Amino acid sequence: MPDAEDARRIALSLPETTEKTAWNMPTFRVAGKMFATLPEEETSMAVRCPKEERDELVLAEPGKFWIADHEAQFAWVRVRLAEVEDEAELRDILADTWRQAAPPRLIEDHPELGPAAR
């Protein structure tokens, strides 16, 4: 089961990602746009996720995904790190949220990270 240090390591391995503390928690950004945070004593992550997909994730896997009350109006979802299967799944989640924030040139330069977000 991956933990916060795995999330940090994987996030920072994504192209042009930086870590910045904001709201007293680590945040991860690409081209100045935040794509993930490690709130809640770093037992979960908050990641960008289109609202339609977010709702489907929460319904399909409520033990893994949930929506924090203060983020309900935004396109973010929480991920319980203890429920993430392995580092490969964590990398997929982080690569997906990174693509949502990354500029097109970075997505084009790194096709190994998957297609651009819809």
Short mmCIF file of all heavy atoms in Angstrom, two decimals, residues 49-75:
data_model
loop_
_atom_site.label_atom_id
_atom_site.label_comp_id
_atom_site.label_asym_id
_atom_site.label_seq_id
_atom_site.Cartn_x
_atom_site.Cartn_y
_atom_site.Cartn_z
N CYS A 49 -10.20 16.29 -10.73
CA CYS A 49 -11.02 15.26 -11.36
C CYS A 49 -12.30 15.91 -11.86
O CYS A 49 -13.00 16.56 -11.06
CB CYS A 49 -11.36 14.15 -10.35
SG CYS A 49 -12.25 12.77 -11.07
N PRO A 50 -12.63 15.79 -13.14
CA PRO A 50 -13.88 16.36 -13.63
C PRO A 50 -15.05 15.88 -12.77
O PRO A 50 -15.09 14.72 -12.36
CB PRO A 50 -13.99 15.83 -15.06
CG PRO A 50 -12.57 15.55 -15.46
CD PRO A 50 -11.89 15.08 -14.19
N LYS A 51 -15.99 16.78 -12.50
CA LYS A 51 -17.08 16.46 -11.58
C LYS A 51 -17.85 15.20 -11.97
O LYS A 51 -18.20 14.40 -11.11
CB LYS A 51 -18.04 17.64 -11.46
CG LYS A 51 -17.47 18.78 -10.64
CD LYS A 51 -18.49 19.89 -10.48
CE LYS A 51 -17.91 21.03 -9.68
NZ LYS A 51 -18.90 22.10 -9.49
N GLU A 52 -18.11 14.99 -13.26
CA GLU A 52 -18.86 13.82 -13.69
C GLU A 52 -18.09 12.54 -13.34
O GLU A 52 -18.67 11.57 -12.85
CB GLU A 52 -19.11 13.84 -15.20
CG GLU A 52 -19.72 15.11 -15.75
CD GLU A 52 -18.72 16.26 -15.90
OE1 GLU A 52 -17.57 16.05 -16.30
OE2 GLU A 52 -19.12 17.39 -15.59
N GLU A 53 -16.79 12.53 -13.60
CA GLU A 53 -15.97 11.37 -13.30
C GLU A 53 -15.83 11.19 -11.80
O GLU A 53 -15.82 10.07 -11.29
CB GLU A 53 -14.60 11.50 -13.95
CG GLU A 53 -14.64 11.41 -15.46
CD GLU A 53 -13.28 11.60 -16.10
OE1 GLU A 53 -12.27 11.29 -15.45
OE2 GLU A 53 -13.25 12.07 -17.24
N ARG A 54 -15.71 12.30 -11.10
CA ARG A 54 -15.54 12.27 -9.65
C ARG A 54 -16.74 11.56 -9.00
O ARG A 54 -16.57 10.68 -8.15
CB ARG A 54 -15.42 13.71 -9.16
CG ARG A 54 -15.45 13.87 -7.67
CD ARG A 54 -15.47 15.31 -7.30
NE ARG A 54 -16.82 15.85 -7.44
CZ ARG A 54 -17.17 17.06 -7.06
NH1 ARG A 54 -16.28 17.88 -6.55
NH2 ARG A 54 -18.40 17.47 -7.18
N ASP A 55 -17.93 11.94 -9.42
CA ASP A 55 -19.13 11.33 -8.84
C ASP A 55 -19.18 9.83 -9.12
O ASP A 55 -19.55 9.04 -8.25
CB ASP A 55 -20.38 12.03 -9.38
CG ASP A 55 -20.46 13.49 -8.93
OD1 ASP A 55 -19.77 13.87 -7.96
OD2 ASP A 55 -21.21 14.26 -9.57
N GLU A 56 -18.78 9.43 -10.33
CA GLU A 56 -18.75 8.01 -10.68
C GLU A 56 -17.73 7.26 -9.83
O GLU A 56 -18.00 6.15 -9.37
CB GLU A 56 -18.42 7.84 -12.16
CG GLU A 56 -19.52 8.29 -13.09
CD GLU A 56 -19.12 8.23 -14.56
OE1 GLU A 56 -18.14 7.53 -14.89
OE2 GLU A 56 -19.80 8.89 -15.37
N LEU A 57 -16.56 7.86 -9.62
CA LEU A 57 -15.52 7.22 -8.78
C LEU A 57 -16.03 7.00 -7.36
O LEU A 57 -15.85 5.93 -6.78
CB LEU A 57 -14.26 8.09 -8.73
CG LEU A 57 -13.36 8.10 -9.94
CD1 LEU A 57 -12.27 9.15 -9.78
CD2 LEU A 57 -12.74 6.73 -10.16
N VAL A 58 -16.65 8.03 -6.79
CA VAL A 58 -17.14 7.93 -5.41
C VAL A 58 -18.22 6.85 -5.30
O VAL A 58 -18.22 6.07 -4.34
CB VAL A 58 -17.66 9.30 -4.93
CG1 VAL A 58 -18.37 9.18 -3.59
CG2 VAL A 58 -16.51 10.29 -4.83
N LEU A 59 -19.11 6.78 -6.28
CA LEU A 59 -20.15 5.75 -6.25
C LEU A 59 -19.55 4.35 -6.43
O LEU A 59 -19.99 3.40 -5.77
CB LEU A 59 -21.18 6.00 -7.35
CG LEU A 59 -22.16 7.13 -7.08
CD1 LEU A 59 -23.00 7.41 -8.32
CD2 LEU A 59 -23.05 6.81 -5.89
N ALA A 60 -18.56 4.22 -7.29
CA ALA A 60 -17.97 2.92 -7.58
C ALA A 60 -17.07 2.41 -6.45
O ALA A 60 -17.05 1.21 -6.16
CB ALA A 60 -17.18 2.97 -8.88
N GLU A 61 -16.32 3.34 -5.84
CA GLU A 61 -15.36 2.93 -4.81
C GLU A 61 -15.38 3.92 -3.63
O GLU A 61 -14.42 4.65 -3.41
CB GLU A 61 -13.95 2.86 -5.39
CG GLU A 61 -13.78 1.81 -6.47
CD GLU A 61 -12.34 1.70 -6.93
OE1 GLU A 61 -11.54 1.09 -6.20
OE2 GLU A 61 -12.03 2.25 -8.00
N PRO A 62 -16.46 3.93 -2.85
CA PRO A 62 -16.58 4.91 -1.77
C PRO A 62 -15.54 4.75 -0.66
O PRO A 62 -15.27 5.70 0.07
CB PRO A 62 -18.00 4.68 -1.25
CG PRO A 62 -18.35 3.29 -1.65
CD PRO A 62 -17.62 3.05 -2.94
N GLY A 63 -14.94 3.59 -0.55
CA GLY A 63 -13.88 3.40 0.44
C GLY A 63 -12.58 4.07 0.04
O GLY A 63 -11.76 4.42 0.87
N LYS A 64 -12.41 4.24 -1.26
CA LYS A 64 -11.18 4.83 -1.79
C LYS A 64 -11.34 6.32 -2.09
O LYS A 64 -10.43 7.10 -1.84
CB LYS A 64 -10.76 4.09 -3.07
CG LYS A 64 -9.42 4.52 -3.63
CD LYS A 64 -9.06 3.77 -4.91
CE LYS A 64 -8.93 2.30 -4.65
NZ LYS A 64 -8.52 1.56 -5.87
N PHE A 65 -12.47 6.71 -2.65
CA PHE A 65 -12.67 8.09 -3.09
C PHE A 65 -13.80 8.75 -2.31
O PHE A 65 -14.80 8.11 -1.99
CB PHE A 65 -13.03 8.13 -4.58
CG PHE A 65 -11.96 7.55 -5.47
CD1 PHE A 65 -12.09 6.27 -5.99
CD2 PHE A 65 -10.83 8.29 -5.80
CE1 PHE A 65 -11.11 5.73 -6.82
CE2 PHE A 65 -9.85 7.76 -6.62
CZ PHE A 65 -9.98 6.47 -7.13
N TRP A 66 -13.65 10.03 -2.03
CA TRP A 66 -14.72 10.81 -1.43
C TRP A 66 -14.53 12.27 -1.75
O TRP A 66 -13.47 12.68 -2.21
CB TRP A 66 -14.82 10.56 0.07
CG TRP A 66 -14.02 11.44 0.96
CD1 TRP A 66 -14.46 12.54 1.64
CD2 TRP A 66 -12.64 11.32 1.31
NE1 TRP A 66 -13.44 13.09 2.38
CE2 TRP A 66 -12.31 12.37 2.19
CE3 TRP A 66 -11.63 10.43 0.94
CZ2 TRP A 66 -11.03 12.55 2.71
CZ3 TRP A 66 -10.37 10.61 1.46
CH2 TRP A 66 -10.08 11.65 2.32
N ILE A 67 -15.59 13.04 -1.53
CA ILE A 67 -15.56 14.47 -1.82
C ILE A 67 -15.60 15.22 -0.50
O ILE A 67 -16.56 15.07 0.28
CB ILE A 67 -16.75 14.87 -2.72
CG1 ILE A 67 -16.72 14.08 -4.02
CG2 ILE A 67 -16.73 16.38 -2.98
CD1 ILE A 67 -18.00 14.13 -4.82
N ALA A 68 -14.59 16.01 -0.24
CA ALA A 68 -14.56 16.84 0.96
C ALA A 68 -15.61 17.94 0.81
O ALA A 68 -15.77 18.50 -0.28
CB ALA A 68 -13.17 17.43 1.17
N ASP A 69 -16.31 18.24 1.89
CA ASP A 69 -17.38 19.24 1.83
C ASP A 69 -16.92 20.56 1.22
O ASP A 69 -17.62 21.13 0.38
CB ASP A 69 -17.95 19.50 3.23
CG ASP A 69 -18.74 18.32 3.76
OD1 ASP A 69 -19.17 17.48 2.95
OD2 ASP A 69 -18.92 18.24 4.99
N HIS A 70 -15.76 21.04 1.63
CA HIS A 70 -15.29 22.34 1.14
C HIS A 70 -14.80 22.31 -0.30
O HIS A 70 -14.50 23.34 -0.88
CB HIS A 70 -14.22 22.92 2.07
CG HIS A 70 -12.95 22.17 2.06
ND1 HIS A 70 -12.76 21.00 2.78
CD2 HIS A 70 -11.80 22.40 1.41
CE1 HIS A 70 -11.54 20.55 2.56
NE2 HIS A 70 -10.93 21.38 1.74
N GLU A 71 -14.72 21.12 -0.90
CA GLU A 71 -14.29 20.99 -2.30
C GLU A 71 -15.44 20.57 -3.21
O GLU A 71 -15.25 20.36 -4.40
CB GLU A 71 -13.15 19.96 -2.40
CG GLU A 71 -11.90 20.42 -1.69
CD GLU A 71 -10.86 19.32 -1.55
OE1 GLU A 71 -11.20 18.13 -1.73
OE2 GLU A 71 -9.72 19.65 -1.23
N ALA A 72 -16.65 20.45 -2.67
CA ALA A 72 -17.78 19.92 -3.44
C ALA A 72 -18.07 20.72 -4.70
O ALA A 72 -18.46 20.16 -5.73
CB ALA A 72 -19.02 19.85 -2.56
N GLN A 73 -17.87 22.03 -4.67
CA GLN A 73 -18.18 22.85 -5.84
C GLN A 73 -17.03 22.87 -6.85
O GLN A 73 -17.17 23.41 -7.94
CB GLN A 73 -18.57 24.28 -5.43
CG GLN A 73 -17.43 25.11 -4.90
CD GLN A 73 -17.24 24.99 -3.39
OE1 GLN A 73 -17.55 23.99 -2.77
NE2 GLN A 73 -16.73 26.03 -2.79
N PHE A 74 -15.90 22.27 -6.50
CA PHE A 74 -14.73 22.26 -7.38
C PHE A 74 -14.52 20.87 -7.97
O PHE A 74 -15.03 19.88 -7.46
CB PHE A 74 -13.48 22.69 -6.61
CG PHE A 74 -13.62 24.04 -5.98
CD1 PHE A 74 -13.75 24.17 -4.60
CD2 PHE A 74 -13.65 25.19 -6.76
CE1 PHE A 74 -13.88 25.41 -4.02
CE2 PHE A 74 -13.79 26.44 -6.17
CZ PHE A 74 -13.91 26.55 -4.79
N ALA A 75 -13.73 20.80 -9.01
CA ALA A 75 -13.45 19.53 -9.69
C ALA A 75 -12.26 18.83 -9.03
O ALA A 75 -11.19 18.68 -9.64
CB ALA A 75 -13.21 19.77 -11.17
#
